[in-house]
Amino acid sequence: MLSDITIGQFFPGKSIVHRLDPRAKILLVIAFIILLFVVRNPVSFVLIGIFLAVIYIVAKIPARAIWRGVKPILPLILFTSILNLFFVDGEPLVKWWIFKITAEGISVAVLMAVRIVCLIIGSLLLTYTTSPIALTDAIERLLKPLKVIRFPVHEMAMMMTIALRFIPTLLEETDKIMSAQKARGADLETGSIIRRAKALIPILIPLFVSAFRRAEDLALAMECRCYRGGEGRTRMKQLHFSHLDGISAVATGVVFVAAVLLDVFLPKII
Amino acid sequence: MAIIKTEHLTHLYGTGTPFEKAAIRDVNLEIEEGELVGVIGHTGSGKSTLIQHLNGLLKPTSGHIYIDGTDIFESVQILQKTRFKVGLVFQYPEYQLFEETVEKDIAFGPKNLGFTEEQVKEAVSHAMECVGLSDAFRKKSPFELSGGQKRRVAIAGVIAMRPKVLILDEPTAGLDPKGRDTILNLISDYHRAEKNTVLLVSHSMEDVAKYCSKVLVMNQGHVFSYGTVAETFSRADEIEQIGLAVPQVTRLFSALAKEGYEAGEEVYTIVRAKEILLEKFLQKGGA
Ligand SMILES: Nc1ncnc2c1ncn2[C@@H]1O[C@H](COP(=O)(O)OP(=O)(O)OP(=O)(O)O)[C@@H](O)[C@H]1O
Ligand SMILES: [Mg+2]
């Protein structure tokens, strides 16, 4: 069923990771991504792996969730690895026709694969432990300085919030319309590509009609409650940095610095 | 032989997630051909889930469904045929309309069935007649109709497929009293004319008592009772205990009986109530 697609992958919880300020989490994830592309040493990656594992355990996210997040990008990982495998210069280990595999190629391929996997697992942590609404809230706050150059920060954030709010609703609606048309004998699964594209019309039109209707209703409801953009708007949920954020930032910082130092001082492999 | 039969039908939503929930549990049913069955039950009692099994849109977690004696999940072909044999009108069916004209929208189902052009035409005319839409509506866009008219178009879209069993999920939801009466009368007329089996999900005991021959009461995913209107309302106390209301006239007459005014029978509909009042009580009083 459509609703099995997990877009709001939020795992509600009360762990330390959940309670961190979403802004702190976003900044830490950005730092983490930079770190991933700075270090090259296997020992550093082992440290990073342990670090991730500890956070996942603290946040009580099941291992299944990690696999579910990584699975969809496996083809991408495979693709980059294969490219790296064949197109990195160096002393060839195996040679066949125009293809050659080098030791450097193998290590670069493995490095890239590990990097991407760590990247996904690390950033999933953010969406797994932060509600989408808190996330857009934090993005709005972090991007606030851009208002100076007239970037519509509030409007962007409001659009994101609304989109996130309506994704499950629209999925449910799609499900319902699909069932209704199937009950009228619509065949959505078989036939040529053109036939299948045509079969989408009875689903897309009602879906659009209802999406526009919803949008109108929502606009009306917002207007009735005197919504008039971000100017002078106060918030129900204020974001505050706490000691918890400071402590986790320091702890994370220590791990990151350790990873970089290990990378600098251990003998280079790649 | 029962036209619809279910054996130990169970459906779980969200299997394997923390949100796993049994929507219906161990449902055993036998519905005879030609009945007009009212399906009634609390919000969340599993009515919609149950009826979506009957034409194979939902696959049971366990159990079997037999239509005309064949297990509908026996093969893909049988499942496909069942979809056509059992016509299902969803709740708020007007949101599934998509064609430019009423006529074309109603023809969608019959075309999917592989009817010839001639048969499609005939089916559309017949269906429009059944739901009381005049020829003036043929070329109109379904989007410019009123809510009640849209709903009739949507119902016609399913009737046009000439199903042996017609199932309607709360066809009167969100309509005004007049629109409700119109739709229910149309369904009742359709049932009488076609002699088909019709299942009608409803929240109104009054409507069920007035139009249906049998009543299926669902409670928390179980079948609470299945029987004639009289059989069902003879368990009025139990029905009220599970949070459903018996028709108001029935309550009125049981109150009258306590005061010594015996009607001599159970009363479920306003029409019958009026007759009894005129015949028995008012005559005596000489009013
Ligand atoms: N797609 C779904 N995913 C998960 N749970 C569902 C889904 N659809 C229904 N349920 C649950 O199954 C139970 C039965 O739902 P169902 O829609 O069959 O009830 P109903 O009797 O039709 O109610 P109503 O009178 O409100 O239409 C409910 O508790 C509901 O929360
Ligand atoms: Mg329902």
Side-chain angles (χ1 to χ4, degrees):
Chain A
M1 219 144 77
L2 272 180
S3 47
D4 292 343
I5 304 170
T6 47
I7 291 186
Q9 306 155 306
F10 180 45
F11 282 77
K14 285 196 168 11
S15 74
I16 300 176
V17 191
H18 284 86
R19 277 182 290 150
L20 288 184
D21 188 298
R23 286 171 298 178
K25 278 194 263 188
I26 292 180
L27 294 177
L28 288 177
V29 166
I30 293 173
F32 176 74
I33 293 171
I34 297 172
L35 173 79
L36 279 182
F37 284 87
V38 171
V39 299
R40 302 171 70 91
N41 196 295
V43 183
S44 300
F45 277 105
V46 170
L47 184 64
I48 290 172
I50 294 171
F51 174 69
L52 283 176
V54 169
I55 305 184
Y56 267 89
I57 291 167
V58 171
K60 297 206 179 85
I61 308 285
R64 236 176 339 135
I66 304 179
W67 170 239
R68 217 174 51 201
V70 174
K71 202 166 61 174
I73 43 137
L74 278 183
L76 179 76
I77 296 173
L78 209 65
F79 182 69
T80 39
S81 299
I82 289 172
L83 279 189
N84 281 315
L85 199 57
F86 290 113
F87 294 102
V88 173
D89 279 332
E91 205 52 40
L93 292 178
V94 189
K95 237 180 130 167
W96 177 70
W97 192 35
I98 55 164
F99 297 109
K100 62 181 188 327
I101 293 179
T102 65
E104 287 85 350
I106 294 176
S107 36
V108 171
V110 172
L111 176 69
M112 279 315 285
V114 172
R115 265 184 189 158
I116 298 175
V117 170
C118 286
L119 181 88
I120 300 299
I121 295 179
S123 25
L124 277 180
L125 202 50
L126 182 65
T127 50
Y128 281 161
T129 62
T130 322
S131 78
I133 299 297
L135 214 53
T136 42
D137 221 18
I139 292 173
E140 179 176 357
R141 293 304 209 74
L142 288 173
L143 292 183
K144 221 174 195 175
L146 289 183
K147 266 200 179 148
V148 180
I149 57 163
R150 299 188 157 235
F151 183 78
V153 178
H154 170 78
E155 283 70 15
M156 287 293 295
M158 183 53 90
M159 273 156 59
M160 270 171 73
T161 312
I162 293 174
L164 285 170
R165 159 65 185 76
F166 278 98
I167 285 170
T169 313
L170 283 181
L171 281 178
E172 200 179 293
E173 190 121 336
T174 315
D175 232 15
K176 235 191 247 162
I177 295 173
M178 277 169 77
S179 303
Q181 304 299 29
K182 267 195 225 158
R184 293 168 79 190
D187 180 7
L188 308 173
E189 277 110 23
T190 60
S192 66
I193 291 186
I194 296 173
R195 253 196 70 161
R196 261 193 268 184
K198 265 195 180 157
L200 283 181
I201 294 174
I203 292 168
L204 289 181
I205 290 179
L207 196 61
F208 273 109
V209 170
S210 95
F212 280 117
R213 194 173 32 98
R214 269 182 210 290
E216 259 172 31
D217 290 353
L218 182 67
L220 201 64
M222 284 168 79
E223 217 151 64
C224 287
R225 297 197 220 165
C226 305
Y227 175 79
R228 45 187 77 252
E231 220 46 62
R233 196 171 149 79
T234 55
R235 329 191 132 262
M236 187 165 93
K237 287 213 177 86
Q238 300 278 356
L239 294 178
H240 292 295
F241 283 118
S242 65
H243 291 311
L244 204 59
D245 298 302
I247 296 167
S248 13
V250 171
T252 318
V254 169
V255 175
F256 286 7
V257 170
V260 173
L261 288 182
L262 280 174
D263 193 60
V264 174
F265 290 110
L266 282 178
K268 296 266 177 300
I269 294 182
I270 304 163
Chain B
M1 185 181 57
I3 185 154
I4 300 173
K5 184 172 171 204
T6 69
E7 270 176 5
H8 306 293
L9 192 61
T10 297
H11 189 89
L12 306 177
Y13 280 113
T15 31
T17 70
F19 308 108
E20 186 172 299
K21 183 172 193 316
I24 52 175
R25 227 171 311 138
D26 196 27
V27 169
N28 298 294
L29 260 185
E30 279 194 39
I31 294 174
E32 298 298 325
E33 192 159 2
E35 303 275 13
L36 189 121
V37 181
V39 181
I40 210 157
H42 236 268
T43 283
S45 57
K47 304 181 296 285
S48 303
T49 307
L50 172 66
I51 58 172
Q52 281 179 60
H53 280 89
L54 300 183
N55 76 342
L57 276 176
L58 285 179
K59 208 168 155 59
T61 310
S62 64
H64 296 276
I65 303 146
Y66 303 92
I67 301 287
D68 263 348
T70 18
D71 187 336
I72 63 169
F73 285 101
E74 202 173 279
S75 73
V76 182
Q77 286 81 8
I78 291 179
L79 184 61
Q80 201 68 31
K81 274 199 200 120
T82 308
R83 290 265 163 84
F84 301 135
K85 218 189 256 177
V86 181
L88 181 55
V89 181
F90 276 78
Q91 214 165 347
Y92 296 104
E94 55 272 29
Y95 296 141
Q96 77 197 20
L97 301 176
F98 69 98
E99 277 284 11
E100 299 154 57
T101 66
V102 167
E103 191 177 36
K104 276 192 194 167
D105 208 289
I106 299 176
F108 180 67
K111 271 191 190 151
N112 287 329
L113 269 170
F115 280 20
T116 64
E117 205 148 302
E118 205 51 40
Q119 285 170 318
V120 171
K121 242 188 195 163
E122 202 196 302
V124 171
S125 302
H126 168 253
M128 286 184 70
E129 206 175 300
C130 282
V131 298
L133 287 172
S134 68
D135 275 346
F137 284 97
R138 274 177 184 268
K139 298 283 176 215
K140 281 200 177 163
S141 158
F143 296 105
E144 63 190 31
L145 304 180
S146 78
Q149 290 166 340
K150 272 189 204 166
R151 186 155 311 171
R152 281 194 262 164
V153 173
I155 295 175
V158 174
I159 289 182
M161 293 164 63
R162 306 267 181 166
K164 272 187 84 170
V165 179
L166 179 67
I167 305 179
L168 303 112
D169 196 351
E170 295 192 37
T172 58
L175 294 182
D176 61 9
K178 191 153 167 267
R180 274 177 42 180
D181 283 347
T182 317
I183 297 263
L184 290 172
N185 279 323
L186 287 167
I187 293 167
S188 174
D189 290 346
Y190 167 83
H191 173 247
R192 208 166 309 126
E194 306 283 318
K195 310 246 180 325
N196 278 349
T197 315
V198 177
L199 265 69
L200 175 70
V201 177
S202 171
H203 270 172
S204 156
M205 280 287 181
E206 268 86 12
D207 292 346
V208 168
K210 186 166 167 199
Y211 293 100
C212 301
S213 55
K214 288 269 179 79
V215 187
L216 168 63
V217 183
M218 297 285 297
N219 183 34
Q220 297 184 347
H222 292 285
V223 173
F224 171 80
S225 70
Y226 177 65
T228 63
V229 175
E231 279 163 12
T232 306
F233 292 131
S234 66
R235 300 171 66 183
D237 289 344
E238 286 168 80
I239 287 182
E240 285 188 341
Q241 246 164 35
I242 63 168
L244 293 169
V246 294
Q248 283 178 354
V249 278
T250 310
R251 265 192 302 179
L252 174 69
F253 271 78
S254 64
L256 282 174
K258 277 193 197 123
E259 298 288 323
Y261 298 97
E262 286 290 347
E265 62 177 287
E266 291 282 344
V267 184
Y268 316 110
T269 64
I270 307 254
V271 180
R272 187 73 193 119
K274 183 179 155 194
E275 285 168 10
I276 290 180
L277 280 178
L278 286 176
E279 253 173 52
K280 289 210 166 159
F281 300 160
L282 296 181
Q283 258 175 15
K284 257 191 263 169

Tab-separated table of all heavy atoms in Angstrom, chain B residues 249 252-253 267-278:
chain	number	residue	atom	x	y	z
B	249	VAL	N	-38.825	6.100	17.194
B	249	VAL	CA	-40.221	5.664	17.374
B	249	VAL	C	-40.291	4.393	18.188
B	249	VAL	O	-41.215	4.200	18.966
B	249	VAL	CB	-40.961	5.429	16.029
B	249	VAL	CG1	-41.465	6.722	15.471
B	249	VAL	CG2	-40.122	4.681	15.050
B	252	LEU	N	-40.106	5.385	21.656
B	252	LEU	CA	-41.361	6.043	22.036
B	252	LEU	C	-42.420	5.002	22.361
B	252	LEU	O	-43.092	5.066	23.391
B	252	LEU	CB	-41.835	6.938	20.886
B	252	LEU	CG	-43.208	7.575	21.082
B	252	LEU	CD1	-43.163	8.624	22.175
B	252	LEU	CD2	-43.707	8.180	19.786
B	253	PHE	N	-42.501	3.978	21.490
B	253	PHE	CA	-43.553	2.987	21.692
B	253	PHE	C	-43.270	2.098	22.881
B	253	PHE	O	-44.201	1.632	23.540
B	253	PHE	CB	-43.783	2.168	20.415
B	253	PHE	CG	-44.798	2.816	19.519
B	253	PHE	CD1	-44.456	3.891	18.725
B	253	PHE	CD2	-46.116	2.373	19.516
B	253	PHE	CE1	-45.394	4.502	17.927
B	253	PHE	CE2	-47.073	2.993	18.720
B	253	PHE	CZ	-46.715	4.058	17.920
B	267	VAL	N	-42.536	-1.477	16.798
B	267	VAL	CA	-42.694	-0.449	15.766
B	267	VAL	C	-41.336	0.159	15.450
B	267	VAL	O	-40.603	0.555	16.351
B	267	VAL	CB	-43.648	0.663	16.248
B	267	VAL	CG1	-43.889	1.661	15.134
B	267	VAL	CG2	-44.944	0.049	16.730
B	268	TYR	N	-40.968	0.190	14.152
B	268	TYR	CA	-39.648	0.705	13.781
B	268	TYR	C	-39.711	1.916	12.876
B	268	TYR	O	-38.757	2.635	12.737
B	268	TYR	CB	-38.819	-0.378	13.078
B	268	TYR	CG	-38.918	-1.710	13.753
B	268	TYR	CD1	-39.584	-2.760	13.158
B	268	TYR	CD2	-38.366	-1.876	15.013
B	268	TYR	CE1	-39.703	-3.967	13.792
B	268	TYR	CE2	-38.480	-3.084	15.663
B	268	TYR	CZ	-39.146	-4.128	15.049
B	268	TYR	OH	-39.267	-5.309	15.692
B	269	THR	N	-40.844	2.057	12.166
B	269	THR	CA	-40.866	3.142	11.181
B	269	THR	C	-41.990	4.116	11.486
B	269	THR	O	-43.002	3.760	12.100
B	269	THR	CB	-41.082	2.577	9.756
B	269	THR	OG1	-42.366	1.962	9.719
B	269	THR	CG2	-40.021	1.572	9.390
B	270	ILE	N	-41.765	5.340	11.039
B	270	ILE	CA	-42.740	6.406	11.286
B	270	ILE	C	-44.075	6.052	10.631
B	270	ILE	O	-45.142	6.273	11.206
B	270	ILE	CB	-42.206	7.731	10.700
B	270	ILE	CG1	-40.809	8.001	11.239
B	270	ILE	CG2	-43.194	8.854	10.970
B	270	ILE	CD1	-40.694	9.057	12.269
B	271	VAL	N	-44.005	5.478	9.431
B	271	VAL	CA	-45.232	5.174	8.686
B	271	VAL	C	-46.111	4.229	9.492
B	271	VAL	O	-47.308	4.458	9.687
B	271	VAL	CB	-44.876	4.537	7.323
B	271	VAL	CG1	-46.132	4.228	6.545
B	271	VAL	CG2	-43.959	5.455	6.539
B	272	ARG	N	-45.479	3.148	9.979
B	272	ARG	CA	-46.233	2.160	10.762
B	272	ARG	C	-46.748	2.810	12.054
B	272	ARG	O	-47.873	2.556	12.482
B	272	ARG	CB	-45.304	0.980	11.073
B	272	ARG	CG	-45.975	-0.187	11.739
B	272	ARG	CD	-46.857	-0.966	10.776
B	272	ARG	NE	-47.709	-1.883	11.522
B	272	ARG	CZ	-49.043	-1.863	11.522
B	272	ARG	NH1	-49.683	-0.980	10.800
B	272	ARG	NH2	-49.737	-2.725	12.230
B	273	ALA	N	-45.925	3.660	12.642
B	273	ALA	CA	-46.315	4.323	13.889
B	273	ALA	C	-47.578	5.138	13.679
B	273	ALA	O	-48.503	5.108	14.499
B	273	ALA	CB	-45.183	5.222	14.372
B	274	LYS	N	-47.608	5.846	12.565
B	274	LYS	CA	-48.769	6.682	12.275
B	274	LYS	C	-50.030	5.815	12.172
B	274	LYS	O	-51.059	6.111	12.781
B	274	LYS	CB	-48.517	7.415	10.962
B	274	LYS	CG	-49.611	8.382	10.565
B	274	LYS	CD	-49.224	9.047	9.256
B	274	LYS	CE	-50.457	9.530	8.518
B	274	LYS	NZ	-50.141	9.863	7.125
B	275	GLU	N	-49.911	4.702	11.432
B	275	GLU	CA	-51.062	3.818	11.257
B	275	GLU	C	-51.580	3.343	12.612
B	275	GLU	O	-52.775	3.387	12.889
B	275	GLU	CB	-50.664	2.598	10.420
B	275	GLU	CG	-50.510	2.913	8.939
B	275	GLU	CD	-49.840	1.762	8.190
B	275	GLU	OE1	-49.682	0.653	8.786
B	275	GLU	OE2	-49.473	1.989	7.034
B	276	ILE	N	-50.631	2.893	13.443
B	276	ILE	CA	-51.048	2.343	14.732
B	276	ILE	C	-51.701	3.415	15.588
B	276	ILE	O	-52.741	3.184	16.224
B	276	ILE	CB	-49.839	1.731	15.459
B	276	ILE	CG1	-49.416	0.470	14.705
B	276	ILE	CG2	-50.180	1.390	16.896
B	276	ILE	CD1	-48.246	-0.221	15.306
B	277	LEU	N	-51.105	4.590	15.595
B	277	LEU	CA	-51.659	5.674	16.399
B	277	LEU	C	-53.098	5.966	15.979
B	277	LEU	O	-53.995	6.074	16.822
B	277	LEU	CB	-50.811	6.936	16.239
B	277	LEU	CG	-49.529	6.997	17.072
B	277	LEU	CD1	-48.766	8.268	16.774
B	277	LEU	CD2	-49.838	6.893	18.550
B	278	LEU	N	-53.284	6.061	14.652
B	278	LEU	CA	-54.617	6.390	14.157
B	278	LEU	C	-55.601	5.287	14.481
B	278	LEU	O	-56.702	5.531	14.965
B	278	LEU	CB	-54.562	6.627	12.642
B	278	LEU	CG	-53.911	7.946	12.235
B	278	LEU	CD1	-53.821	8.046	10.726
B	278	LEU	CD2	-54.697	9.130	12.799
